[in-house]
Amino acid sequence: EADIYQTPRYLVIGTGKKITLECSQTMGHDKMYWYQQDPGMELHLIHYSYGVNSTEKGDLSSESTVSRIRTEHFPLTLESARPSHTSQYLCASRWDRDGYTFGSGTRLTVV
Amino acid sequence: AQSVTQPDIHITVSEGASLELRCNYSYGATPYLFWYVQSPGQGLQLLLKYFSGDTLVQGIKGFEAEFKRSQSSFNLRKPSVHWSDAAEYFCAVGGAAGFQKLVFGTGTRLLVSP
């Protein structure tokens, strides 16, 4: 049962377009995360948030930006998509001592 | 700095055979440890977690893992593998405080042969 939702599941878009990947959770978790997962399957943290109006860059540099205006919503935006942004993007949330709960991911292809 | 090593990139196991996936971690304090599974095109699903207490933890889908502090290991096991277990498995380590980010290993791809 998914309590964290990502839309769209798949997106094919042209170079230079602006895109927003949506992530919403219904669990009231303060902490949320965005990971980029390459074809080699390794997870790279690109953004995280510890609450409303709190956002930080992760370990992997990314041209994307995030916002956290509401607890349940943590969208990721690319102002100008490029083929190098082609990847799978995973959103997750966490409640203190628990592990992460992941969404199903958005597979982005930039052509 | 905390880190996780999954030394096996790929493992192939015959259906019905036992499975052990290795995970070694580096962490300066008492670690919180997790195993996740990812099917193709999906997000990660939590299999099991260790916080404290009994070092042998049971998870979903018949998986278990044993925490060995002396070896800094948290290996995942299953006595009899099913074809549906074929997936990518990730080990992760984190701290007690919620603000501490989880660190993931690079994953082990499990292939199940008939």
Side-chain angles (χ1 to χ4, degrees), chain A residues 11-32:
Chain A
L11 178 63
V12 181
I13 200 162
T15 298
K17 299 292 187 182
K18 177 180 178 179
I19 59 170
T20 297
L21 308 184
E22 300 290 346
C23 177
S24 295
Q25 51 100 0
T26 59
M27 298 170 284
H29 291 174
D30 287 334
K31 301 163 189 69
M32 297 189 73

Side-chain angles (χ1 to χ4, degrees), chain A residues 48-107:
Chain A
Y48 61 99
S49 167
Y50 291 149
V52 171
N53 294 326
S54 155
T55 61
E56 301 286 345
K57 290 189 178 297
D59 304 321
L60 178 70
S61 176
S62 173
E63 294 168 345
S64 59
T65 59
V66 293
S67 62
R68 191 86 183 277
I69 299 173
R70 302 197 314 268
T71 297
E72 63 272 20
H73 196 212
F74 191 41
L76 181 146
T77 298
L78 278 165
E79 291 293 333
S80 179
R82 296 208 299 269
S84 61
H85 297 139
T86 295
S87 189
Q88 172 155 262
Y89 293 85
L90 292 168
C91 182
S93 67
R94 183 184 189 192
W95 176 254
D96 284 341
R97 298 175 64 186
D98 285 340
Y100 290 5
T101 299
F102 281 87
S104 297
T106 293
R107 184 168 294 279

Side-chain angles (χ1 to χ4, degrees), chain B residues 55-76:
Chain B
T55 56
L56 183 64
V57 293
Q58 303 297 320
I60 62 172
K61 305 185 180 187
F63 285 92
E64 66 178 27
E66 185 171 13
F67 170 59
K68 293 186 177 179
R69 184 186 299 275
S70 61
Q71 299 177 19
S72 298
S73 70
F74 188 56
N75 294 347
L76 182 71

Side-chain angles (χ1 to χ4, degrees), chain B residues 20 22 31-32 41 48 63 67 69 83 91 102 106-108:
Chain B
E20 183 169 31
R22 294 184 291 166
Y32 283 10
L48 47 77
F63 285 92
F67 170 59
R69 184 186 299 275
W83 63 267
C91 181
L102 294 189
T106 52
T108 297

Side-chain angles (χ1 to χ4, degrees), chain A residues 9-10 31 33 35 37 39-43 45 48 50 59 88 90 94-105 107, chain B residues 32 34 36 38 40-46 49 51-52 88 90 94-106 109:
Chain A
R9 285 295 312 277
Y10 303 94
K31 301 163 189 69
Y33 310 83
Y35 283 85
Q37 188 174 32
M41 307 298 281
E42 188 170 353
L43 291 155
L45 179 67
Y48 61 99
Y50 291 149
D59 304 321
Q88 172 155 262
L90 292 168
R94 183 184 189 192
W95 176 254
D96 284 341
R97 298 175 64 186
D98 285 340
Y100 290 5
T101 299
F102 281 87
S104 297
R107 184 168 294 279
Chain B
Y32 283 10
F34 307 86
Y36 287 85
Q38 185 181 32
Q42 300 296 316
L44 278 69
Q45 180 185 19
L46 181 66
K49 58 189 176 186
F51 290 157
S52 64
E88 189 86 11
F90 291 91
F99 64 86
Q100 293 177 323
K101 303 182 292 293
L102 294 189
V103 174
F104 288 84
T106 52
R109 176 159 293 180

